[in-house]
Amino acid sequence: MAYGIKVSKPGNSVFTAGTGDLFLDTTYPILKVKASGTGSLSITDGGSDSDTISHNLGYVPKVFIYGQVFSVFSGDKNDNYVRYPYYEESAATTSAFEYTVDDSDLVISGGYDYGGSSSNTFSYFYYLFYDEY
Amino acid sequence: MGDFGIRISEADFDVNTTPTESNKKNFVYLSDENTPKVYYAGFLTAADPFSGMTYEHNLGYVPIFFFFLTDSASSPTYYRYVNAVSSTTTITQTIGGYGYLIILEEGSS
């Protein structure tokens, strides 16, 4: 016999409502936050930077990372946030902000090559969950 | 006063097992762990495909969000993930006629 919790939206019977009419349905896993935080990558044109966040869960967890990027189309840092990974390429210019996650570490990295000498600091935030990838 | 809360485990995992860092993935729900909450989920419509779509969340921080381009705001036949951008007040997608936005009320900038 299955056990769990269902909470339906107003006007819907919790016994018959479809998934879209339920506020909560523990038939499905709910993301559980293990850790979140912020950081920044300091990058000079042609170079890269990375940060390592250890989680030591022993398995690969789900993660979300959002941060600022360098746009090769505008030739400047974008102060708004996008979801990583993020890649741009135009002619001989490239920009890459990405991450890898394994059973012990989340590594957030970025770099750009615009053929200049600018230096920028790119802020990011991450969420790391107990839920397995 | 004792601890109170809700634990729901996955099938074939004993719910009475004390949650640890290594086994919390085996629980569907643990009420003493933070979970993302849906702040907004809905369709956006642009005035034209090149005018952009903007949603003002005014959360004061950049939230977790997912933006999908669609072909309709009422009966979409596809959802395609795109990398929209967010500030601490708005989420913007520059190209597309219709979009579907999900914002989770967590995050920081």
Side-chain angles (χ1 to χ4, degrees):
Chain A
M1 183 174 178
Y3 296 90
I5 297 173
K6 290 183 178 178
V7 178
S8 65
K9 295 178 180 177
N12 294 276
S13 167
V14 76
F15 299 107
T16 58
T19 305
D21 291 319
L22 294 171
F23 281 129
L24 176 67
D25 181 357
T26 59
T27 305
Y28 300 93
I30 298 168
L31 291 174
K32 298 167 287 294
V33 178
K34 171 177 168 53
S36 63
T38 62
S40 63
L41 302 171
S42 298
I43 304 169
T44 298
D45 195 333
S48 62
D49 190 16
S50 67
D51 286 344
T52 298
I53 297 113
S54 295
H55 61 77
N56 295 315
L57 283 170
Y59 57 86
V60 180
K62 288 187 172 72
V63 296
F64 295 139
I65 296 96
Y66 292 78
Q68 297 170 321
V69 298
F70 186 90
S71 172
V72 298
F73 302 116
S74 68
D76 204 356
K77 170 185 165 184
N78 187 340
D79 287 330
N80 289 321
Y81 283 57
V82 301
R83 186 179 172 200
Y84 290 0
Y86 184 87
Y87 304 100
E88 283 186 5
E89 185 173 355
S90 178
T93 61
T94 59
S95 173
F97 291 79
E98 56 193 0
Y99 65 89
T100 60
V101 57
D102 61 19
D103 60 8
S104 60
D105 296 318
L106 165 64
V107 179
I108 300 170
S109 61
Y112 67 93
D113 187 349
Y114 194 67
S117 58
S118 66
S119 294
N120 287 286
T121 299
F122 301 88
S123 297
Y124 65 79
F125 70 85
Y126 67 89
Y127 269 80
L128 193 150
F129 300 92
Y130 283 109
D131 307 83
E132 198 165 8
Y133 207 84
Chain B
M1 185 173 176
D3 290 332
F4 295 90
I6 299 171
R7 282 184 203 163
I8 297 173
S9 68
E10 294 178 338
D12 302 323
F13 188 83
D14 186 353
V15 76
N16 293 307
T17 306
T18 300
T20 65
E21 287 291 283
S22 61
N23 71 20
K24 285 180 180 176
K25 66 184 172 69
N26 300 118
F27 290 87
V28 171
Y29 181 69
L30 291 167
S31 62
D32 56 357
E33 295 295 340
N34 193 12
T35 61
K37 275 75 71 180
V38 177
Y39 173 78
Y40 176 82
F43 289 98
L44 302 178
T45 301
D48 68 69
F50 300 102
S51 63
M53 291 173 270
T54 298
Y55 178 83
E56 292 189 16
H57 58 75
N58 291 316
L59 287 169
Y61 59 86
V62 179
I64 297 171
F65 66 97
F66 306 95
F67 197 103
F68 302 86
L69 287 179
T70 71
D71 56 346
S72 167
S74 57
S75 54
T77 60
Y78 69 83
Y79 291 78
R80 180 162 62 88
Y81 181 80
V82 291
N83 225 331
V85 301
S86 179
S87 69
T88 56
T89 58
T90 60
I91 293 173
T92 303
Q93 166 61 23
T94 54
I95 295 175
Y98 302 96
Y100 188 78
L101 174 64
I102 301 170
I103 300 175
L104 304 182
E105 195 173 7
E106 297 292 340
S108 60
S109 59

